[in-house]
């Protein structure tokens, strides 16, 4: 199955020097990605990458920027968000990694597996966007809706809440 936002780069066009790529999702691609990620809308999705070969695979680094509208996790109301992320990825052929655990430092890349003769920068950008989204976005009406439903705030339900209640009764 072809991803909604596919921008393949053939491996035989990637050398040791940087190859610059700028990609943007069109209206239909953004609409399809919004459905996939449960978003109300993706108004903009752009990425730029410098891609080169390295000993450990193909390295792509650059920047992702997007404007999205997520549903509030409490009320479902639209919550606009802007994403601006540095991206550093290492593309590795499927099956070339061993099952051994490796320890990663902050400078290490996220690993993306590929098969065939190309890497897909569009799908890599889409996955980066998904990881950058707020998992529990809250709109301005969220607090009131939670209170109306009887949900306690963190301060009211926290470990010291019972002690605070005892202190008030003295």
């Amino acid at each position: 199955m072809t991803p909604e936002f596919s921008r393949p780069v053939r491996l035989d066009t990637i050398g040791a020097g940087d190859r610059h790529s700028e990609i943007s999702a069109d209206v239909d691609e953004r609409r399809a990605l919004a459905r996939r990620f449960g978003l109300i809308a993706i108004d903009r999705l752009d990425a730029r990458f410098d891609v080169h070969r390295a000993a450990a695979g193909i390295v792509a680094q650059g920047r992702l920027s997007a404007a999205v509208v997520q549903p509030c996790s409490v009320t479902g109301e639209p919550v606009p968000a802007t994403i601006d992320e540095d991206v550093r990825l290492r593309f590795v052929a499927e099956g070339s990694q061993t099952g051994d655990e490796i320890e990663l430092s902050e400078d290490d890349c996220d690993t993306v597996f590929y098969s065939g003769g190309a890497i897909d920068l569009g799908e890599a950008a889409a996955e980066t966007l998904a990881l950058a989204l707020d998992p529990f976005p809250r709109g301005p009406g969220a607090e009131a809706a939670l209170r109306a439903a009887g949900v306690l705030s963190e301060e009211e339900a926290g470990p010291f809440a019972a002690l605070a209640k005892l202190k008030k009764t003295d």
Side-chain angles (χ1 to χ4, degrees), residues 131-157:
L131 291 171
L133 293 170
D134 183 346
F136 301 105
R138 291 214 175 160
E143 204 62 44
L146 288 170
R147 190 154 305 287
V151 177
L152 299 176
S153 70
E154 200 169 311
E155 295 80 28
E156 296 168 322

Side-chain angles (χ1 to χ4, degrees), residues 5 19-24 45-51 60-66 84-89 121-122 125 128:
F5 178 41
R19 173 189 169 156
H20 186 73
S21 292
E22 291 190 25
I23 59 175
S24 295
L45 174 56
D46 305 308
R48 59 179 169 74
F49 295 100
D50 289 320
V51 182
Q61 52 190 31
R63 193 146 198 89
L64 173 99
S65 65
D84 191 25
E85 294 274 322
D86 284 328
V87 181
R88 186 152 190 226
L89 304 170
L121 294 179
T128 300

Side-chain angles (χ1 to χ4, degrees), residues 58-75:
I58 306 293
V59 175
Q61 52 190 31
R63 193 146 198 89
L64 173 99
S65 65
V68 302
V69 181
Q70 295 182 260
C72 173
S73 61
V74 176
T75 65

